[in-house]
């Protein structure tokens, strides 16, 4: 019995570096996907945006009265003229083999639908892995006190 337990513990110990390496590559892939998504929004490139989000994507923004689907956001894309400056380093938490949460604090400056925006915000993205690619399925921006 002790030998069997020792063998199991040895295998578990040896498997940890592979899991850590996999997590690191997932974090890098998530950060890259979000970076491409941020660039696509800045360029108002709807075709690229749609390749980086899930079909059932939902966004919750403090500038809107309700959560928005990707199709609803697409119709508002020309209203978004904000610049994002990251205030903190992003944190990625792996939630499961195909899901993760990415958070960071940032500053939004510019205009949204013609109204001035100058807000410190907390951004949460829920990412899912589909066909080997990380896609954003949920995005929420919460205003913070300065």
């Amino acid at each position: 019995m002790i030998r069997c337990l020792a063998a199991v513990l040895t295998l578990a110990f040896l498997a940890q570096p592979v899991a850590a390496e996999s997590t690191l590559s997932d974090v890098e892939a998530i950060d890259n996907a979000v970076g491409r998504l941020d660039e696509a929004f800045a360029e108002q490139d709807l075709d690229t945006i749609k390749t980086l989000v899930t079909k059932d994507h939902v966004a919750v923004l403090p500038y809107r009265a309700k959560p928005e689907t990707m199709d609803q956001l697409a119709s508002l894309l020309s209203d978004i003229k904000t610049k994002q400056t990251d205030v903190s380093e992003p944190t990625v938490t792996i939630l499961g083999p195909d899901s993760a949460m990415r958070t960071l604090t940032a500053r939004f400056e510019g205009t949204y639908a013609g109204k001035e925006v100058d807000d410190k915000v907390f951004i949460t993205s829920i990412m899912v892995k589909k066909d080997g690619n990380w896609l954003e399925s949920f995005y929420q921006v919460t205003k913070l006190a300065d």
Side-chain angles (χ1 to χ4, degrees), residues 33-52:
V34 172
R36 290 192 322 269
L37 189 55
D38 287 346
E39 287 175 21
F41 265 100
E43 296 169 4
Q44 298 190 351
D45 181 353
L46 186 58
D47 291 334
T48 299
I49 292 169
K50 287 185 175 184
T51 67
L52 296 168

Side-chain angles (χ1 to χ4, degrees), residues 77-89:
L77 202 53
S78 63
D79 290 342
I80 303 169
K81 293 177 177 39
T82 58
K83 175 184 162 203
Q84 176 181 320
T85 304
D86 295 350
V87 175
S88 71
E89 287 294 317

Side-chain angles (χ1 to χ4, degrees), residues 41 46 49-50 53-61 63-80 112-113 137-139:
F41 265 100
L46 186 58
I49 292 169
K50 287 185 175 184
V53 300
T54 61
K55 292 186 187 311
D56 60 350
H57 183 275
V58 173
V60 180
L61 305 171
Y63 317 112
R64 302 294 301 160
K66 61 183 175 43
E68 306 281 347
T69 66
M70 194 65 240
D71 289 336
Q72 291 166 324
L73 274 179
S75 68
L76 303 168
L77 202 53
S78 63
D79 290 342
I80 303 169
Y112 187 91
S137 68
F138 179 81
Y139 177 79

Side-chain angles (χ1 to χ4, degrees), residues 85-103:
T85 304
D86 295 350
V87 175
S88 71
E89 287 294 317
T91 300
V92 176
T93 303
I94 302 297
L95 303 173
D98 296 327
S99 62
M101 178 176 65
R102 184 178 189 270
T103 60

